[in-house]
Structures are given as structure tokens and as C-alpha cells.
Amino acid sequence: MITYKDEQGIAGMRVAGRLASEVLDYLTPHVQAGVTTNALDKLAFDYITQVQQAIPAPLNYNPSGHNPYPKSICTSINHQVCHGIPSDKALKKGDIINIDITVIKNGWHGDTSRMFVVGEGSIAAKRLCQLTYDAMWHGILKVKPGAHLGDIGHAIQIFAEGLGFSIVREFCGHGIGQVFHEEPQVLHYGKPGTLEELKPGMVFTIEPMINAGKRDIKEMNDGWTITTRDHSLSAQWEHTVLVTQTGYEVLTLSAGSPPLPSFVTTTVC
Ligand code: MF3
Ligand code: CO
Ligand code: CO
């Protein structure tokens, strides 16, 4: 069932979305060579629970078919696609890392992720991170009443595949609200005019995972971490987006959000 948020729900989602983004702002200066992802997880847990008075949604998250997720954030490095579990391994120069934050505040969820390049980073790594960011925004730009979910997926697909990159198909964006993952599924590939019609009050994430090599993935023995099968680099960005009366409102923004791509003029319309 798709839930449509009323003004009160939208207000709750705005707060949760901003808080999730502010966790990334808080972590940013710590994403450096030598830091362990467990240290980032601890920083995030303390900030979310003590400063934000919120709940890290991943911790003990237990969807069917999975063991409970053991940490507060997801940290997916290099060939890891998503759901990487923080560990005592340190980041090193040239790594790319996705940090994915979901907080629950007053019962509402905000879900967002960004890519970080540790140290200098290769041209190829930086390009993958940038084009994945642009791909997410190409999807967001399609969001308005009367459009269809397939329009979003198609925009992301033609952009990323047109540049010779591949899109992970097994994971998708999702409706979000008082439930972490709810309907609809938001595929990052598709055909224009297909699937659910967008209506005001819908809130969902757009979170493309794009690989430098083939699209195929595998799951690690920890039961969570997804990697590319060919060990090529993978990147992901995520925003939580509201369908407004006339377009979209990006809910997961904060002072430290990266600049908009040049082809984007507004975060709300
Ligand atoms: N935040 C992820 C998403 O974007 C989901 C993480 S589930 C976890 O949907 F259990 F791995 F944390
Ligand atoms: Co999500
Ligand atoms: Co997420």
C-alpha cells in the first residue's frame, strides 16, 4: 500500500530528512585516511541518539530473510555496492565510500547517502561518483504529479548507460514514512509512462547504484554487504523526495549538502 502524507506527515518527514543529512555533514570532516568505519559508526550513533534525540534506523533492522543489521550506518567501500557493515578496517587514500544514514525522528524516517573520496582519488573514481550524483538528480527532475515511476527509472538509465556505466537492478528506491521501506519500489531503470502514477503526498527515495563494470552483484558471507561480481567500483547517492502539487521537494538537504549539478535549478518546485 502506498501512503500519502498529509501536512503533518510532511512536516515530520522534513525534520527527519534534514536530520539524516546533518549526520552526513557531521561525519564529513572525519572521513579521512586512517579512520575506521567503526569509528564513523560510533560518531554517528552518538550524534543521532544524543544530539538529535533520534534513532538510527539500521541498528537491529530485521527484514525477513536477514539477520538483524548490527550497526547504525552503512559504509560501502570501492567495489561494495550497498549495505556495507562498518568494521575495524581503516580507510585509505584513494578509497571511495558511500555512507548511508537513516534516522527516525518522532516516528518519521529520513534516508540519504553520499559518496566521499578519501584523499586524492583517481580520475575514474571521481568521475563515477559525479555521474552517479548527476544520475540521481536526473531522476529527481522527473518527479511531479502525473508523471510515472518509469519516467524516473528511464531518465537514470539513459544517462548512466549512455555513458557506458551499468545500473544495479536488484536494489531500488522505496516509499518511506513511518515505515523504513514501504511501497512503491522505485527502480533505477525503466520505460517512460510505465508503473505507478505520481501523486502529491507520495514520499520515496531515489538511490541509484551505478557500477563502472558489469551490473551483476553478489552478497558477502556477512549476510548484508553487496559487492559487484566483477569487483569493479560502484557508487550510490540517495535523497528522500516528496511529490508536491507541482513537482518535487527534496527532503534530505542541509547546510553541508553538495552543490546542485549545473542542470538543476531548484530543490523544491
Ligand atoms: N538505507 C538503506 C536504504 O537506502 C537501507 C539500509 S538497511 C540496513 O534503503 F539494514 F542495511 F541498514
Ligand atoms: Co533508501
Ligand atoms: Co539509505
Side-chain angles (χ1 to χ4, degrees), residues 117-196:
V117 181
V118 181
E120 261 313 282
S122 68
I123 302 278
K126 286 188 283 191
R127 180 155 182 259
L128 175 64
C129 294
Q130 181 64 47
L131 78 91
T132 304
Y133 184 61
D134 291 353
M136 173 186 67
W137 275 102
H138 280 296
I140 292 170
L141 290 178
K142 294 293 173 190
V143 175
K144 66 173 179 192
H148 290 256
L149 285 174
D151 301 342
I152 298 170
H154 182 72
I156 293 167
Q157 183 176 18
I158 53 165
F159 177 74
E161 291 184 353
L163 291 171
F165 291 78
S166 66
I167 297 169
V168 172
R169 302 209 176 193
E170 290 84 351
F171 296 89
C172 53
H174 49 92
I176 183 167
Q178 288 171 303
V179 171
F180 191 168
H181 295 103
E182 59 183 38
E183 287 183 17
Q185 293 191 36
V186 181
L187 303 180
H188 303 114
Y189 61 93
K191 296 201 189 339
T194 66
L195 304 175
E196 190 78 23

Side-chain angles (χ1 to χ4, degrees), residues 100-102 111-113 174 180-181 207 236 238:
D100 193 339
I101 303 292
T102 311
D111 188 7
T112 188
S113 78
H174 49 92
F180 191 168
H181 295 103
E207 49 179 301
Q236 178 179 31
E238 176 174 25

Side-chain angles (χ1 to χ4, degrees), residues 57-63 67-74 82-85 100-102 111-113 172-174 180-181 205 207 224 236 238:
L59 188 60
N60 300 316
Y61 184 57
N62 195 195
N67 48 324
Y69 189 78
K71 301 284 177 174
S72 296
I73 67 176
C74 297
C82 63
H83 304 165
I85 301 175
D100 193 339
I101 303 292
T102 311
D111 188 7
T112 188
S113 78
C172 53
H174 49 92
F180 191 168
H181 295 103
T205 71
E207 49 179 301
W224 278 102
Q236 178 179 31
E238 176 174 25

Side-chain angles (χ1 to χ4, degrees), residues 141-145 200 242-249 268-269:
L141 290 178
K142 294 293 173 190
V143 175
K144 66 173 179 192
L242 164 72
V243 183
T244 65
Q245 296 295 328
T246 46
Y248 62 81
E249 178 178 335
V268 51
C269 59

